[in-house]
Amino acid sequence: MADKPLEYQVFMHSYAGFNSTSTLFYGERDAVLIDATQLLSDGHRLAADLIEMGKNLTHIYVSHFHPDHHFGVEVIKAAFPRARVVALPSVVKDIVFTTTDKVDMWGEFFGRNEPETVTFPMPLDEPRLEVEGHVLEFSDDWEGDSENNSVVWVPSLSVACATDVAYLDCHIWMIESNAARRKKWRESIKKLRDFNAEVVVPGHVSAETLALRDTSCIDWSLRYLDVYEEVLAKAKTGTELWEGMEKAYPRLKGMDFGVQWAARLLFPKSCPDWFPPLPGEPGTIFLDPKGVFIGDPPRE
């Protein structure tokens, strides 16, 4: 039985770190962190915040294989050496199969702000952890901005961490999805409603909406996917794809480079030079755990 109510705090990471989030669930003494960072600099800022909170970090849970949720684990581990790094068995497998390629790719792109080696999570025996009697439940095989996301549900708080199944006020990473997968993605977003949660924490968010404690990321993400499909269906060039999304979301800065990278992959002949360069050669980047690219094919 839990003696005291559980609390939580959401942390947002930098623009270059994909505006990703980490969520700390904590009691009087102990705490569990959901996801780390990609950039080491973001990891140090997060570690400093956690140290100042004065909690005993027992576990760092990794939701899925994307580097922006676990590459910075080593920094957190250095500050909290007794914390166990854990994930669901399917996620551990995904990380094992993707880490070498992604360390090489992002290391070339971000240099010393990326780890040279990655701390692999240990597989959980059962899909749950406890913080001072409060249960955190985990489930995998959620479609999101990659395959096999996992979601966290905390019944005592009526809070779910959507991880990368849902975003809020931040451009969504569409690069690793195709039309068929986005249909499944919509169903996963809708399934978040089944928790009947009071709060759904998005995996990526803007600073302006970080403090929101509601479920608005569900409807926001569904709408964004619909807008993207509409814009993509009309776009004939990379510039048109970017301009269509910019017109629909004129004040949105977070992860705008993701849209421009998507445009470079979809329309490699018609993107302006000012779009940021891709972090590698098409066909060798943004690969899934099977080592293949599963995004939409080029349109020119």
Side-chain angles (χ1 to χ4, degrees), residues 2 22 62 66 94 96 98 120 124 127 130 132 146 154 162 165 182 190 193-194 204 211 226 228-229 241 278:
S22 300
V62 179
H66 269 175
D94 291 345
V96 168
T98 57
F120 290 107
L124 287 165
E130 288 192 14
E132 297 179 8
S146 69
V154 186
V165 176
R182 287 192 289 274
K190 293 174 184 177
R193 294 177 177 142
D194 293 346
H204 298 260
D226 288 344
Y228 181 82
E229 298 289 7
L241 177 62
L278 290 165

Side-chain angles (χ1 to χ4, degrees), residues 212-224:
L212 287 180
R213 294 196 171 195
D214 58 23
T215 63
S216 57
C217 64
I218 295 176
D219 288 340
W220 196 93
S221 297
L222 288 169
R223 175 59 182 159
Y224 187 100

Side-chain angles (χ1 to χ4, degrees), residues 2 11 38 106 112 129 147 162 188 190 194 217 233 276 283 294-295:
F11 303 86
Q38 168 137 1
W106 290 117
R112 293 183 62 187
L129 290 171
E147 65 177 9
S188 283
K190 293 174 184 177
D194 293 346
C217 64
I294 53 177

Side-chain angles (χ1 to χ4, degrees), residues 47-126:
D49 288 337
L50 297 177
I51 289 169
E52 289 181 347
M53 292 183 72
K55 302 299 179 181
N56 172 40
L57 187 64
T58 64
H59 294 81
I60 304 165
Y61 173 80
V62 179
S63 64
H64 63 291
F65 72 91
H66 269 175
D68 54 311
H69 296 261
H70 74 97
F71 268 23
V73 159
E74 66 172 43
V75 176
I76 312 301
K77 274 287 288 180
F80 298 91
R82 294 184 180 179
R84 295 183 61 207
V85 183
V86 297
L88 294 176
S90 65
V91 172
V92 174
K93 181 181 177 182
D94 291 345
I95 291 173
V96 168
F97 277 96
T98 57
T99 289
T100 299
D101 289 343
K102 294 191 183 302
V103 165
D104 291 344
M105 180 184 81
W106 290 117
E108 287 288 327
F109 193 77
F110 285 117
R112 293 183 62 187
N113 212 355
E114 288 289 314
E116 294 183 1
T117 60
V118 168
T119 300
F120 290 107
M122 296 298 293
L124 287 165
D125 292 331
E126 54 182 339

Side-chain angles (χ1 to χ4, degrees), residues 257-280:
F257 56 86
V259 181
Q260 293 157 3
W261 280 346
R264 282 197 177 276
L265 291 168
L266 289 164
F267 303 99
K269 300 177 182 179
S270 60
C271 288
D273 291 341
W274 63 266
F275 278 12
L278 290 165

